[in-house]
Amino acid sequence: MTALTLSTAAAPGLRADAIVIGVAKGAQGPVVAPGAEAVDKAYDGKLAGVLETLGASGAEGELTKLPAPAGFKAPLVVAVGLGAQPDAKDGGEDGGAGYDAEALRKAAGVAARALAGSKKAAFALPVDSPGAIGAIGEGVLLGAYSFDAYKGNGQDGGNAKAKNGRAPLAEAALLGGKPRDAAHKGAIARAVAVCEELNRARDLINTPPNDLTPAAFAGIAQAAAKEHGIKVQVLDDKALVKGGYGGILGVGGGSAAAPRLVKLSYTHPKAEKHLAFVGKGITYDSGGISLKPAGHNETMKCDMSGAAAVFASVVAAARLGLQVNVTGWLALAENMPSGSAVRPGDVLRMYSGKTVEVLNTDAEGRLVLGDALWAASQENPDAIVDVATLTGAMMLALGSRTFGVMANDDAFRSAVHEAAEEVGEPAWPMPLPEHLRKGMESSVADIANMGERMGGGLVAGLFLREFVGEGISWAHLDIAGPAFNEGGPFGYTPKGGTGTAVRTLVRLAELTAAGDLG
């Protein structure tokens, strides 16, 4: 991953492949953002005009390259758009010089991706707080991400440089950051811990399903747990049978790759609160007997994105040493059609003892989550958050970049939504209308796994609520839209697995540790 350093050096004398500056969209044209004063001075204060001549406007995500001025040791200046210029009175800990943290994060990501193949770049973006440093650092680390494990000729360990000649940016120096300032160093350390784990989640999502089976995923979790002092328990298919986990077993029964339930436990000796995170981990979803139509199978390796997010967030919490206990539950299975697969019409007895009539085997995520939610509830945590690529209906409702938030507690739903927005993950609160519960009534079981077609994402949330222990605050994140980016990269978001929800879960853990989540 790209190395991050803090530097008080002046831009002209810094040896680098490029100097990255910010440019905002002002009322009269592009405006050079704070942090780039030395660069602007070298252009005789006319840098904004030069950029405008080159077609730059300062719009978010816009990138313009131009030769560095005479006397600079870096040969290139990269101007990246920050969006609308903020009022001078704006500002605060979240961003630099009034610029929103997410604007800085996106700009840094765009620049880092554009500088692939470079050894070092200096980022002279607006910095006036640890929050700005952290945002820029996150943008760099997430924007520079590249999944190259399966590229190359097989002789170089998948090194993309051998094939494409453009390895990720090797080093980013954040100008204006103070190397000896504890808050600045802490912001960088946090960015590195969170982004390394988020990028690990991306790697898992992008890994082909022939290599990432439930057992393989469990093995990766075990190795990470050992490295970071996290307790881990893996229930294999035999243990799942013995424990009565009918939901996970039913979904995984059609595959030669047996299911797993992984429990990761990070504990802090001074913790007063306990959070449980539950992730849907369908390592490949064919739809089962209710087979998905052609054109809907190609990206179904991403159906374990929720489990990847939970795994990454628990490890990040451990690396940050947060004063809160965090338990992660990874419900891992492969949903395949075969002679042993669950059929429409079958009735499964869940871990809770509740019976479920399976009307559609492609509504499998709620089945594995039901078992994991009940298992998490037995420890009576202060709150449970589940994360899942659960329904196409949520994509229809919110599009491809926003996830839905449902909950059994309005205040908790609001807290989760606010945490997501704070870290730059678009989310939207969704209701759980009681009248939709009636559609899941079954004549042969306690509940069916399908209900009304309209409002299908909300129906799925109501189903999950049935498996949350009484008195426990619970939220459900349906990340079906933003979990996997099938289009081109944007901001700090790459094509493929995105790692959506990791930063939200980590922020929830931080807020809980600080006593600010209620």
Side-chain angles (χ1 to χ4, degrees), residues 83-111:
Q85 181 185 25
D87 293 334
K89 62 182 180 180
D90 292 340
E93 285 296 299
D94 290 338
Y99 288 89
D100 178 73
E102 182 66 358
L104 296 177
R105 198 178 286 119
K106 289 179 178 177
V110 168

Side-chain angles (χ1 to χ4, degrees), residues 391-424:
T391 66
M394 198 55 55
M395 296 179 68
L396 291 173
L398 299 177
S400 62
R401 297 191 184 185
T402 304
F403 62 76
V405 183
M406 286 154 264
N408 62 358
D409 178 291
D410 288 347
F412 188 53
R413 181 184 63 188
S414 296
V416 173
H417 176 225
E418 290 170 6
E421 293 290 337
E422 180 183 350
V423 298

Side-chain angles (χ1 to χ4, degrees), residues 49 65 84 130 147 166 183 193 199 206 215 217 227 231 248 253 278 300 324 328 378 405 410 412 475 501 506:
K65 295 181 180 180
F147 183 68
R166 285 171 60 84
N199 283 339
N206 290 326
F217 195 152
E227 179 183 357
K231 292 182 179 179
I248 297 175
V278 177
M300 282 300 101
V324 58
Q378 302 317 294
V405 183
D410 288 347
F412 188 53
V506 172

Side-chain angles (χ1 to χ4, degrees), residues 21-350:
I21 65 169
V23 55
K25 192 171 185 178
Q28 305 300 321
V31 177
V32 177
E37 290 84 359
V39 181
D40 189 27
K41 182 179 179 181
Y43 283 97
D44 297 325
K46 299 178 180 179
L47 180 54
V50 173
L51 290 169
E52 187 171 23
T53 300
L54 293 173
S57 67
E60 182 181 286
E62 183 182 75
L63 186 135
T64 307
K65 295 181 180 180
L66 63 161
F72 273 56
K73 292 184 178 180
L76 182 69
V77 171
V78 176
V80 62
L82 292 167
Q85 181 185 25
D87 293 334
K89 62 182 180 180
D90 292 340
E93 285 296 299
D94 290 338
Y99 288 89
D100 178 73
E102 182 66 358
L104 296 177
R105 198 178 286 119
K106 289 179 178 177
V110 168
R113 184 171 59 255
L115 289 168
S118 302
K119 291 183 179 180
K120 183 176 181 178
F123 283 72
L125 295 173
V127 169
D128 62 3
S129 69
I133 289 173
I136 295 168
E138 287 178 9
V140 169
L141 297 177
L142 298 179
Y145 171 82
S146 179
F147 183 68
D148 304 317
Y150 292 82
K151 295 180 180 178
N153 59 16
Q155 303 300 315
D156 59 359
N159 186 349
K161 189 175 182 180
K163 184 175 182 180
N164 302 330
R166 285 171 60 84
L169 173 65
E171 181 184 348
L174 275 56
L175 305 189
K178 302 173 183 177
R180 296 185 180 181
D181 185 284
H184 288 200
K185 290 192 296 183
I188 288 295
R190 181 191 182 279
V192 170
V194 173
C195 293
E196 280 187 351
E197 296 312 319
L198 192 154
N199 283 339
R200 192 207 301 253
R202 289 173 169 179
D203 283 348
L204 287 168
I205 297 164
N206 290 326
T207 299
N210 56 318
D211 283 345
L212 191 71
T213 61
F217 195 152
I220 292 169
Q222 286 177 304
K226 182 178 181 180
E227 179 183 357
H228 296 289
I230 299 168
K231 292 182 179 179
V232 60
Q233 179 184 10
V234 178
L235 299 184
D236 61 14
D237 49 329
K238 293 181 180 179
L240 291 170
V241 170
K242 185 177 180 179
Y245 292 85
I248 297 175
L249 289 165
V251 173
S255 174
R260 298 285 189 273
L261 178 62
V262 179
K263 176 185 176 184
L264 298 164
S265 302
Y266 161 68
T267 58
H268 190 284
K270 296 183 179 180
E272 297 181 355
K273 296 286 186 178
H274 176 199
L275 291 178
F277 298 150
V278 177
K280 174 187 173 183
I282 304 299
T283 57
Y284 183 75
D285 183 19
S286 69
I289 296 297
S290 305
L291 195 66
K292 292 181 182 291
H296 290 73
N297 289 296
E298 291 77 6
T299 61
M300 282 300 101
K301 64 181 181 180
C302 79
D303 213 18
M304 36 59 67
S305 296
V310 166
F311 166 49
S313 64
V314 175
V315 177
R319 291 181 59 174
L320 294 171
L322 300 182
Q323 193 170 313
V324 58
N325 294 336
V326 183
T327 304
W329 298 84
L330 316 181
L332 309 176
E334 186 177 61
N335 187 23
M336 296 289 284
S338 74
S340 58
V342 65
R343 296 152 293 215
D346 283 354
V347 174
L348 303 177
R349 185 171 295 278
M350 304 287 283

Side-chain angles (χ1 to χ4, degrees), residues 38 164 364 386 406 451 453:
N164 302 330
E364 85 298 331
D386 78 72
M406 286 154 264
R453 180 171 176 270

